[in-house]
Amino acid sequence: MKIAVLPGDGIGPEIVAEALKVLQFLAREGLSLEFETGLIGGAGYDSAGDPLPEATLALARAADAVLLGAVGGPRYDTLARPLRPEQGLLRIRKELGLFANLRPAVVYPELAAASTLRPEVVAGLDLMILRELTGDIYFGQPRGRRTTAAGEREGFDSMHYSESEIRRIARVGFELARGRSRRLTSVDKANVLDTSILWREVVIEVGGEYPDVELSHMYVDNAAMQLVRAPRQFDVMLTGNLFGDILSDEASMLTGSIGLLPSASLDSRNKGLYEPIHGSAPDIAGRGVANPLATILSVAMLLRHSGGQVQAAGRVEAAVRSVLRDGLRTADLCAAGQTPVGTQQMGDAVVAALARQ
Ligand code: IPM
Ligand code: MG
């Protein structure tokens, strides 16, 4: 398997280095893996004047999977929109057709107390947010700025979903639900938005092909509320791009730390880009304190979804659970009185635990 490695900005290089240790360990055991590194985000802008340099896109196209750290930083905040690091991420998703974004939120028993919600509300949570990633108001035209007749500045964006875009993400949702507890909640704002009315219609049509999956619908505002009220009612949540962006950040806090959540962004043939859902955390970059577990868990998703290595994926996940059971905590997970381990120590501990799985 050819893996394009795009560390990006901020803590990206540090956490990707730890995830690579895990992959290199599996390679030493006999898994056939090849790595090639490329620049994206602010690093791409600094070296090539482009947050997604042509060479990086070519590398990603040629690879079977992409492992990404994070992009962005305060140095780039004043750049024009097309040059900003986030555009590199949005463009690679679009260019590679990565329309299906899987964002699992799992509460490990050891960490139920790390959530800001009461442990009895989140204990045992195992939720999958499936976010459509290449459509919606993120990419809709027209968008831009103009001056109104009254001489006032105005910004505008367009929310769009076509029937085929909804149908293909809905199928992924029903298939995912089939492999879990067969419950799918589709999130929309069909009481207000035409886009959402079509979304709901098409999801119901696709649901006809999956009579074994229990389909329900929820308005996004209610879903945001239910996620903190009683999150275990959900199994798979199916969302558009914008709603999924917001709800997945919310869901991450149920698990105790955004530093734990991996993600997979897949095309129609299971080629994927794998990244932690947290950002580049410029405030702690370079200090060796970032939590590498979300990136390591992203490697597990890479092995499972793009590599067909279900067993190796399970071992990586078991290794992560094992270091948490042993009490290792990076600073983001530490309760008062606990001593944090650094990024590298955590990575090394996962590799050591992997050797025992
Ligand atoms: C995410 C991020 C991105 C998004 C940003 C960085 C463009 O928030 O992956 O959730 O909005 O999709
Ligand atoms: Mg986001």
Side-chain angles (χ1 to χ4, degrees):
M1 189 168 33
K2 269 199 207 147
I3 302 177
V5 181
L6 312 180
D9 308 320
I11 59 171
E14 301 163 54
I15 54 180
V16 165
E18 300 312 308
L20 282 178
K21 282 183 190 166
V22 169
L23 284 170
Q24 274 148 0
F25 173 86
L26 294 170
R28 282 197 301 278
E29 275 190 349
L31 206 61
S32 164
L33 300 172
E34 271 174 45
F35 306 100
E36 213 174 320
T37 302
L39 298 165
I40 194 166
Y45 173 78
D46 287 338
S47 85
D50 183 349
L52 182 62
E54 206 45 57
T56 303
L57 185 56
L59 181 73
R61 279 194 205 285
D64 302 304
V66 180
L67 178 64
L68 189 138
V71 299
R75 285 205 291 130
Y76 311 104
D77 281 352
T78 51
L79 292 173
R81 193 168 55 84
L83 298 176
R84 290 181 55 142
E86 293 80 3
Q87 288 301 312
L89 192 55
L90 296 176
R91 269 173 49 210
I92 198 170
R93 290 172 177 170
K94 189 75 175 172
E95 295 279 351
L96 298 183
L98 307 173
F99 68 93
N101 183 213
L102 279 61
R103 298 191 163 188
V106 175
V107 171
Y108 296 107
E110 297 77 12
L111 292 177
S115 173
T116 47
L117 295 191
R118 288 199 308 273
E120 65 267 29
V121 176
V122 297
L125 178 78
D126 180 358
L127 164 74
M128 177 67 85
I129 295 186
L130 175 64
R131 168 189 177 195
E132 199 289 332
L133 202 57
T134 53
D136 205 352
I137 197 165
Y138 270 62
F139 295 96
Q141 295 291 343
R143 65 183 295 166
R145 290 165 64 121
R146 60 192 165 209
T147 305
T148 65
E152 197 186 18
R153 284 171 302 164
E154 181 181 65
F156 57 100
D157 297 273
S158 307
M159 182 176 270
H160 284 256
Y161 264 121
S162 68
E163 195 177 343
S164 57
E165 285 176 309
I166 303 167
R167 191 164 284 124
R168 70 177 179 177
I169 192 70
R171 287 221 166 84
V172 176
F174 283 104
E175 293 291 338
L176 271 176
R178 261 193 182 158
R180 300 170 49 99
S181 24
R182 295 177 184 265
R183 283 179 297 122
L184 181 68
T185 306
S186 171
V187 175
D188 62 39
K189 189 69 186 171
N191 50 347
V192 177
L193 301 173
D194 280 307
T195 316
S196 280
I197 296 173
L198 180 69
W199 175 278
R200 193 176 282 214
E201 253 171 54
V202 175
V203 171
I204 291 172
E205 285 164 22
V206 176
E209 301 165 29
Y210 296 87
D212 52 317
V213 175
E214 187 192 313
L215 170 65
S216 60
H217 305 273
M218 199 178 272
Y219 297 139
V220 62
D221 49 349
N222 185 28
M225 188 268 278
Q226 296 296 338
L227 263 180
V228 285
R229 192 188 73 87
R232 281 178 308 210
Q233 71 187 280
F234 299 112
D235 181 23
V236 180
M237 293 179 96
L238 169 66
T239 78
N241 203 346
L242 180 64
F243 298 158
D245 177 48
I246 299 166
L247 294 181
S248 61
D249 263 33
E250 187 187 6
S252 75
M253 270 323 287
L254 305 173
T255 71
S257 170
I258 196 166
L260 283 176
L261 292 205
S263 76
S265 306
L266 305 176
D267 73 1
S268 50
R269 278 174 292 184
N270 286 334
K271 170 166 175 169
L273 180 147
Y274 299 83
E275 56 176 324
I277 88 154
H278 60 70
S280 58
D283 52 322
I284 57 164
R287 290 176 28 206
V289 298
N291 184 348
L293 293 182
T295 316
I296 292 174
L297 290 167
S298 298
V299 158
M301 293 190 89
L302 181 156
L303 292 164
R304 176 174 293 117
H305 294 282
S306 292
Q309 300 287 335
V310 179
Q311 205 206 344
R315 283 176 64 209
V316 172
E317 286 158 354
V320 167
R321 278 196 300 274
S322 147
V323 300
L324 290 174
R325 234 179 357 254
D326 292 344
L328 270 74
R329 302 281 184 273
T330 41
D332 55 310
L333 296 174
C334 273
Q338 285 179 319
T339 313
V341 299
T343 309
Q344 296 186 10
Q345 264 171 294
M346 188 58 118
D348 291 339
V350 173
V351 172
L354 189 54
R356 295 192 298 267
Q357 301 300 317

